């Protein structure tokens, strides 16, 4: 048995788009196939936003559309996707930064932040097992957990 693993449980951006009923405003280089290992809520915090977001690689950041500072910090930190909640047209600053980003897919949904997080949290652990990142991670986990002699017999 392989241990639980964030990459194996991670949904793709496409699944988050569907679950949150979001409209995509700009796509990252990896686009809708990118994996998201964490949900990070852009909440009011005493921490600097960019260092807060940097703690969570491959993240889906959910924040209220009006929080331009948090949205720009999420993009700067390389969030895999940024879901702006509450609907409406995002600030031109957000649109400009997202268009220039190769790491972040930007989307907007009409739901509020708590309902959006609730909608996407069910995609974690139920995502289909496919794609290069999940296959590579399975190989790494097998090397770490399956005895070498058994692994050799399985691969022959």
């Amino acid at each position: 048995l392989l241990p639980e693993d964030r990459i194996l449980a991670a949904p793709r951006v496409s699944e988050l788009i569907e679950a949150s009923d979001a409209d995509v405003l700009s796509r990252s280089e990896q686009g809708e196939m990118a994996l998201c290992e964490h949900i990070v809520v852009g909440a009011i915090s005493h921490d600097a936003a960019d260092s807060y977001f940097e703690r969570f690689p491959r993240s889906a950041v959910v924040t209220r559309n009006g929080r331009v500072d948090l949205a720009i910090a999420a993009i700067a930190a390389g969030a895999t996707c940024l879901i702006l909640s509450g609907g409406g047209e995002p600030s031109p600053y957000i649109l400009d930064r997202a268009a220039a980003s190769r790491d972040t897919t930007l989307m907007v949904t009409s739901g509020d932040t708590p309902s959006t997080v609730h909608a996407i949290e069910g995609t974690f652990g139920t995502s289909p097992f496919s794609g290069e990142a999940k296959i590579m991670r399975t190989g790494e986990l097998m090397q770490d957990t399956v005895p070498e002699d058994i692994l050799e017999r399985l691969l022959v």
Side-chain angles (χ1 to χ4, degrees):
L1 293 175
L2 296 177
E4 287 187 29
D5 185 79
R6 283 195 171 277
I7 292 175
L8 297 183
R12 288 178 176 33
V13 169
S14 61
E15 295 167 78
L16 301 180
I17 293 167
E18 184 178 335
S20 64
D21 194 27
D23 294 320
V24 178
L25 303 178
S26 70
R27 286 179 171 75
S28 71
E29 195 171 273
Q30 288 186 11
E32 295 179 12
M33 294 303 291
L35 295 174
C36 295
E37 294 179 44
H38 305 273
I39 298 174
V40 181
V41 178
I44 298 170
S45 173
H46 65 280
D47 290 340
D50 44 354
S51 63
Y52 171 68
F53 293 131
E54 287 171 351
R55 288 186 261 172
F56 305 98
R58 291 184 170 173
S59 62
V61 175
V62 181
T63 193
R64 186 170 46 86
N65 189 2
R67 292 303 309 262
V68 176
D69 57 335
L70 294 177
I72 290 174
I75 294 168
T80 302
C81 74
L82 172 59
I83 305 172
L84 299 175
S85 61
E89 185 69 25
S91 161
Y93 295 112
I94 296 172
L95 294 171
D96 182 57
R97 296 283 173 91
S101 172
R102 299 184 142 212
D103 300 322
T104 306
T105 293
L106 175 66
M107 57 189 95
V108 64
T109 186
S110 61
D112 62 15
T113 300
S115 64
T116 300
V117 170
H118 182 71
I120 67 174
E121 70 184 352
T123 62
F124 288 77
T126 62
S127 177
F129 184 85
S130 64
E132 186 177 341
K134 289 188 179 189
I135 291 170
M136 297 300 290
R137 184 63 181 150
T138 300
E140 293 168 3
L141 291 170
M142 287 179 72
Q143 284 182 328
D144 293 344
T145 59
V146 178
E148 194 172 319
D149 60 322
I150 294 173
L151 190 57
E152 254 182 57
R153 286 189 304 216
L154 290 172
L155 297 176
V156 175

